């Protein structure tokens, strides 16, 4: 039982390059989330998906797009990476009906140079 | 907007001393959760508080939810080196499924 799997674990991009961060969960959870973590800023919500087929903006959505491909997968795309997007990105999932804990992936450490 | 403030940002304690971190929201919360993140790791769920004035204990950890459901605290008694990490609260507001995280308190232990 893998839980929440994120790929890649590490990535270095040049300014202006694009990439997609992948996230998949095998717990049949309804809700999925993308957070970024920066020193002193805690975890800030980029986008979330309460259920398959829906996505909503979080606190810091600018420069990102998301796709809820199916119930298992929720991807985050950077169309034109900027140094300000250097961060650690976490995907999380949660069962909506119970309102219970969020399970996090291992994180993706992204550096934009 | 809906924000959860958390203090202190850092705390250094001698092993065996107590530790407390506080969270505060300007808006009433539906519930609040607490997570621990070890250095280099990902956040891991500790507990959820739902009821006004609720107090829950997990061994040396005591979690409280305020009467107005706007604040919460985590208290660790007699810290150990295994307590090292960053502790986050995460609030959920009525009417949406977002989890809004506090900025976290980074705990370091001096042996």
């Amino acid at each position: 039982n893998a839980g929440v799997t994120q790929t890649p674990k590490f990535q270095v991009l040049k300014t202006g390059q694009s990439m997609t961060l992948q996230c998949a969960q095998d717990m049949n959870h309804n809700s999925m989330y993308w957070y970024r973590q920066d020193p002193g800023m805690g975890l800030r919500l980029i986008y979330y998906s309460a259920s398959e087929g829906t996505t909503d903006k979080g606190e810091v959505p600018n420069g990102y797009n998301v796709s809820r491909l199916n119930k298992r997968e929720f991807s985050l795309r950077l169309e034109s990476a900027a140094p300000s997007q250097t961060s650690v990105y976490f995907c999380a999932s949660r069962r909506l009906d119970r309102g219970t804990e969020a399970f996090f992936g291992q994180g993706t450490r992204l550096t934009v140079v | 907007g809906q924000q959860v403030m958390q203090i202190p940002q850092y705390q250094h304690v001698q092993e065996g001393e107590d530790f407390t971190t506080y969270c505060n929201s300007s808006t009433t919360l539906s519930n609040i959760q607490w997570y621990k993140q070890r250095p280099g790791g990902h956040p891991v769920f500790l507990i959820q508080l739902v009821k006004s004035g609720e107090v829950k204990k997990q061994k040396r950890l005591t979690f409280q939810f305020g009467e107005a459901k706007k604040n919460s605290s985590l208290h660790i008694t007699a810290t150990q080196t295994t307590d090292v990490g960053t502790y986050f609260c995460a609030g959920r507001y009525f009417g949406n499924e977002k989890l809004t995280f506090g900025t976290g308190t980074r705990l370091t232990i001096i042996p």
Side-chain angles (χ1 to χ4, degrees), chain A residues 14-82:
Chain A
K14 293 183 179 178
T15 297
Q17 285 186 318
S18 62
M19 81 161 293
T20 299
L21 280 64
Q22 307 286 354
C23 176
Q25 52 91 10
D26 61 3
M27 295 174 282
N28 201 35
H29 286 171
N30 307 90
S31 298
M32 296 186 74
Y33 307 81
W34 276 106
Y35 290 91
R36 59 177 288 174
Q37 184 173 29
D38 304 290
M41 304 293 286
L43 290 156
R44 292 184 292 168
L45 183 64
I46 305 171
Y47 271 94
Y48 70 106
S49 171
S51 61
E52 186 180 354
T54 68
T55 60
D56 287 285
K57 294 179 181 179
E59 302 168 67
V60 289
N62 291 345
Y64 304 95
N65 284 301
V66 290
S67 295
R68 184 73 183 266
L69 305 169
N70 47 55
K71 193 171 186 180
R72 289 188 64 246
E73 298 171 290
F74 189 38
S75 62
L76 178 71
R77 183 159 177 85
L78 286 70
E79 290 291 352
S80 179

Side-chain angles (χ1 to χ4, degrees), chain B residues 15-66:
Chain B
E15 188 175 5
E17 289 183 340
D18 293 356
F19 159 78
T20 306
T21 174
Y22 302 90
C23 281
N24 188 67
S25 169
S26 58
T27 311
T28 302
L29 295 161
S30 168
N31 59 59
I32 195 160
Q33 298 179 350
W34 285 91
Y35 291 78
K36 177 183 178 181
Q37 183 180 25
R38 294 183 186 277
H42 60 280
V44 175
F45 176 81
L46 293 175
I47 208 157
Q48 175 172 278
L49 304 171
V50 179
K51 299 176 184 175
S52 169
E54 190 168 15
V55 178
K56 286 188 177 180
K57 293 191 176 186
Q58 288 179 350
K59 297 183 180 177
R60 294 177 295 104
L61 278 61
T62 301
F63 304 85
Q64 293 189 328
F65 202 8

Side-chain angles (χ1 to χ4, degrees), chain A residues 31 33 35 37 39-43 45 48 50 57-59 90 94 96 98-102 104-107, chain B residues 2-3 9-10 31 33 35 37 40-46 48 86 88 92 96-104:
Chain A
S31 298
Y33 307 81
Y35 290 91
Q37 184 173 29
M41 304 293 286
L43 290 156
L45 183 64
Y48 70 106
K57 294 179 181 179
E59 302 168 67
F90 286 101
R94 199 158 80 99
L96 190 66
R98 285 185 180 176
T100 53
E101 63 191 281
F104 283 80
Q106 299 294 320
Chain B
Q2 293 167 338
Q3 259 189 320
Q9 190 173 355
Y10 301 97
N31 59 59
Q33 298 179 350
Y35 291 78
Q37 183 180 25
H42 60 280
V44 175
F45 176 81
L46 293 175
Q48 175 172 278
T86 301
F88 292 98
R92 185 166 159 254
N96 72 67
E97 284 307 314
K98 290 191 294 185
L99 272 179
T100 302
F101 279 78
T103 47

